[in-house]
């Protein structure tokens, strides 16, 4: 027979049962359908409770097509409250709070708010995997979570949530206005591209998780002017550089040629103070010659660039974790991770927009300063040349022309004639002596 079951919350379902099915087994079927434990189910038929679990449904007079009322009893009090009162009324008092009881347990059972900053912060801190993904995908929020206060994390989270909702609203408005416009199509293409990027990143996380790990940089121990320095080996750098602080510590700032100042631009931008044209680096028992470009505000002490590595025919052997110096045949091991300087352990992620803006400002300031210094130098050189040319004595053209025809610059000829007091033979000898290559004679 078919029995229809209804609840006080207007849930209705139908069960196909046999006539001799016992009440406890019927409750078990109801538990499977609605999820309420069988021990907490009370059945009422025609306003009368059915309480004897071992009796069959037909013994109560229940037949095909009847409707039964199912109530959820929470404990002994719920069972008593589910009993009908005299007079035929059936009132459920289970949802009425009992005076004197605390509401904290009910509050704890409520699901957490997914937009609550405190809940999100706690969830991320408890999940290392999600925290690592946050570092990769949202470094600004990760920085506020790890190193900032709760208020800072809350501000960043709310700002990003607000921006994300505003962009979504703009997208919806644009799509509703004209989905075939150039702007809408451009936005759709960007969404498809980002989905491909996310899919590629998820694949990399699953099949190549090591690509998201931190790579230990290649450092070696060396000595410069009697001072120990941990040098970073970088075959991708064009020149060997040293920080201003390290140069002062090694007492070589007195050798810096500031005429070689400028701007170094690569992954970032830094100001070049000048250059030490020749210095010695002791690696193990070998003393190797190298030049140094001195950089201002450089975090690492020294970087061995391609100029030094090629000059001494160095090889980076990653299998044995050594640097082989080809000119001497010696080897030196790269430092272990525990021996690296502090800045070498930083896990550098994508640059935040604020950091990128600050980098652009520093680059513009450095370029402007360099241009100003170049203009000032050019002006001083021009004034010097003007003054020197005005003070340069005049010589007959028949004395100057033969020397110029030998291939020497006119300025150099005038300079040597001035030093030789107009003696063309003495000037000619000086010009040949100072030239790196004997110029060809007149044709």
């Amino acid at each position: 027979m078919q029995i229809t079951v209804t609840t006080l919350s207007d849930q209705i379902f139908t069960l196909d049962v046999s006539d001799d099915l016992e009440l406890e087994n019927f409750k078990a079927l109801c538990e499977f359908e609605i999820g309420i434990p069988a021990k907490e189910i009370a059945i009422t038929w025609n306003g009368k409770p059915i309480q004897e679990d071992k009796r069959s449904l037909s013994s109560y007079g229940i037949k095909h097509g009847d409707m039964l009322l199912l109530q959820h009893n929470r404990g002994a009090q719920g069972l008593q409250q589910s009993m009908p009162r005299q007079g035929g009324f059936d009132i459920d008092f289970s949802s009425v709070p009992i005076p004197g009881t605390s509401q904290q347990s009910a509050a704890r059972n409520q699901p957490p708010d997914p937009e609550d900053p405190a809940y999100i912060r706690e969830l991320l801190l408890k999940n290392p995997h999600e925290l690592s993904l946050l570092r990769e995908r949202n470094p600004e929020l990760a920085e506020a979570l790890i190193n900032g206060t709760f208020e800072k994390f809350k501000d960043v989270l709310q700002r990003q949530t607000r921006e994300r909702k505003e962009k979504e609203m703009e997208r919806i408005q644009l799509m509703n206005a004209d989905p075939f416009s150039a702007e809408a199509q451009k936005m759709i293409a960007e969404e498809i591209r980002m989905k491909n990027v996310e899919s590629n990143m998820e694949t990399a996380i699953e099949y190549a998780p090591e690509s998201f790990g931190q790579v230990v940089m290649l450092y070696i121990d060396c000595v410069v002017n009697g001072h120990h320095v941990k040098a970073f080996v970088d075959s991708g750098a064009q020149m060997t550089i040293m920080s201003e602080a390290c140069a002062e510590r090694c007492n070589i700032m007195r050798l810096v040629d500031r005429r070689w100042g400028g701007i170094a631009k690569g992954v970032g931008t830094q100001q070049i103070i000048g250059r030490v044209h020749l210095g010695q680096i002791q690696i193990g028992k070998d003393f190797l010659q190298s030049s140094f470009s001195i950089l201002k505000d450089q975090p690492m002490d020294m970087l061995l660039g391609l100029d030094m590595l090629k000059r001494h025919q160095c090889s980076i052997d990653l299998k044995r974790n050594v640097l082989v110096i080809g000119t001497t045949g010696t080897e030196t091991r790269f430092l272990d991770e525990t021996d690296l300087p502090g800045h070498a352990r930083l896990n550098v992620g994508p640059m935040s927009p604020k950091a990128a803006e600050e980098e652009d400002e520093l680059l513009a300031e450095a370029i402007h300063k360099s241009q100003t210094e170049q203009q000032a130098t050019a002006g001083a050189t021009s004034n010097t040349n003007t003054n020197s040319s005005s003070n340069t004595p005049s010589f007959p053209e028949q004395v100057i022309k033969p020397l110029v025809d030998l291939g020497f610059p006119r300025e150099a000829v005038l300079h040597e004639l001035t030093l030789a007091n107009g003696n063309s033979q003495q000037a000619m000898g000086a010009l040949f002596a100072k030239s790196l290559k004997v110029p060809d004679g007149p044709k």
Side-chain angles (χ1 to χ4, degrees):
M1 61 180 178
Q2 284 189 346
I3 302 297
T4 302
V5 182
T6 183
T7 66
L8 295 177
S9 58
D10 295 332
Q11 290 179 279
I12 300 176
F13 57 93
T14 302
L15 296 176
D16 289 327
V17 299
S18 60
D19 297 343
D20 57 351
L21 181 68
E22 295 180 351
L23 179 61
E24 61 178 358
N25 295 328
F26 179 77
K27 290 182 179 180
L29 293 176
C30 294
E31 177 183 359
F32 179 77
E33 289 289 337
I34 202 170
I36 300 175
K39 294 181 180 180
E40 299 179 5
I41 291 178
I43 302 297
T44 304
W45 178 60
N46 289 338
K48 298 179 182 179
I50 301 176
Q51 298 180 352
E52 297 182 22
D53 291 338
K54 295 299 182 180
R55 289 183 58 180
S56 64
L57 297 180
S58 59
S59 65
Y60 286 106
I62 300 173
K63 56 185 179 297
H64 176 77
D66 284 350
M67 178 176 289
L68 305 181
L69 176 64
L70 184 150
Q71 292 178 279
H72 184 192
N73 296 325
R74 298 174 177 85
Q77 292 182 351
L79 179 61
Q80 295 176 2
Q81 292 169 358
S82 65
M83 298 289 293
R85 300 177 60 188
Q86 293 181 358
F89 294 100
D90 186 14
I91 303 175
D92 183 12
F93 295 96
S94 60
S95 60
V96 179
I98 301 175
T101 60
S102 175
Q103 301 295 326
Q104 294 181 357
S105 59
R108 283 195 298 266
N109 294 329
Q110 294 179 356
D113 184 7
E115 296 185 359
D116 183 13
Y119 170 71
I120 296 175
R121 185 172 185 268
E122 182 180 0
L123 183 66
L124 291 173
L125 290 175
K126 288 182 177 180
N127 195 328
H129 176 68
E130 298 295 336
L131 186 59
S132 63
L133 290 181
L134 185 67
R135 287 195 186 100
E136 296 289 341
R137 302 186 180 189
N138 196 338
E140 182 183 8
L141 186 61
E143 177 69 19
L145 173 65
I146 299 172
N147 300 324
T149 61
F150 172 72
E151 293 299 327
K152 182 179 179 181
F153 172 78
K154 180 180 177 181
D155 293 341
V156 174
L157 178 64
Q158 291 179 346
R159 175 174 56 80
Q160 292 185 353
T161 303
R162 183 172 59 254
E163 293 175 354
R164 186 165 55 252
K165 290 181 179 179
E166 291 175 355
K167 289 182 180 179
E168 182 64 18
M169 289 299 298
E170 291 177 1
R171 186 186 71 84
I172 295 175
Q173 293 174 1
L174 187 61
M175 293 296 295
N176 291 336
D178 184 8
F180 297 101
S181 65
E183 290 296 327
Q185 291 297 312
K186 183 179 179 180
M187 181 187 64
I188 294 173
E190 179 63 18
E191 289 183 355
I192 295 174
R193 188 190 71 84
M194 286 306 301
K195 287 182 179 179
N196 293 334
V197 171
E198 291 293 331
S199 176
N200 180 263
M201 184 174 181
E202 291 174 0
T203 304
I205 293 174
E206 182 176 0
Y207 295 104
E210 66 277 3
S211 63
F212 296 91
Q214 183 179 0
V215 179
V216 179
M217 309 304 286
L218 303 178
Y219 277 81
I220 62 171
D221 274 326
C222 61
V223 178
V224 178
N225 202 19
H227 295 268
H228 289 274
V229 178
K230 293 180 179 180
F232 173 43
V233 180
D234 186 5
S235 60
Q238 184 178 7
M239 58 187 178
T240 298
I241 66 175
M242 179 182 288
S243 67
E244 182 183 14
C246 182
E248 291 177 351
R249 193 166 65 247
C250 296
N251 299 321
I252 60 173
M253 283 297 294
R254 55 188 174 83
L255 301 177
V256 174
D257 187 351
R258 297 183 180 272
R259 295 175 297 179
W260 292 71
I263 300 172
K265 190 174 188 304
V267 177
T269 56
Q270 288 179 319
Q271 179 184 353
I272 301 177
I273 300 175
R275 184 175 187 234
V276 177
H277 297 295
L278 186 63
Q280 278 191 340
I281 304 175
Q282 181 182 356
I283 301 178
K285 297 181 180 180
D286 297 333
F287 290 85
L288 308 177
Q289 294 179 347
S290 178
S291 59
F292 307 101
S293 293
I294 309 301
L295 268 62
K296 190 178 184 64
D297 300 328
Q298 166 66 20
M300 63 181 63
D301 286 342
M302 189 167 67
L303 183 148
L304 302 181
L306 193 59
D307 57 345
M308 184 268 183
L309 298 176
K310 289 189 69 175
R311 179 183 301 173
H312 299 286
Q313 303 174 10
C314 297
S315 300
I316 299 175
D317 191 340
L318 296 179
K319 184 176 182 179
R320 295 187 297 147
N321 199 36
V322 295
L323 177 68
V324 182
I325 303 174
T327 53
T328 61
T330 58
E331 300 177 355
T332 180
R333 291 193 60 81
F334 292 114
L335 297 181
D336 295 331
E337 186 175 3
T338 55
D339 298 327
L340 297 182
H343 60 81
R345 301 189 185 97
L346 296 179
N347 190 10
V348 181
M351 183 178 293
S352 63
K354 184 177 180 180
E357 183 179 352
E358 293 177 354
E359 176 115 350
D360 292 339
E361 292 178 357
L362 292 175
L363 175 60
E365 181 181 353
I367 292 175
H368 176 71
K369 184 177 180 181
S370 177
Q371 290 176 348
T372 304
E373 291 177 353
Q374 289 178 359
Q375 291 174 359
T377 304
T381 305
S382 176
N383 294 335
T384 303
N385 292 337
T386 302
N387 295 335
S388 60
S389 61
S390 61
N391 296 330
T392 302
S394 59
F395 299 100
E397 187 64 26
Q398 59 269 23
V399 177
I400 300 174
K401 190 175 182 304
L403 298 178
V404 174
D405 291 341
L406 293 175
F408 296 110
R410 187 178 182 87
E411 293 79 8
V413 171
L414 292 175
H415 179 68
E416 294 300 333
L417 285 173
T418 302
L419 295 179
N421 294 323
N423 189 327
S424 60
Q425 298 295 328
Q426 186 176 351
M428 182 187 300
L431 288 170
F432 277 112
K434 293 180 181 179
S435 64
L436 298 177
K437 179 181 178 182
V438 178
D440 297 332
K443 297 181 180 179

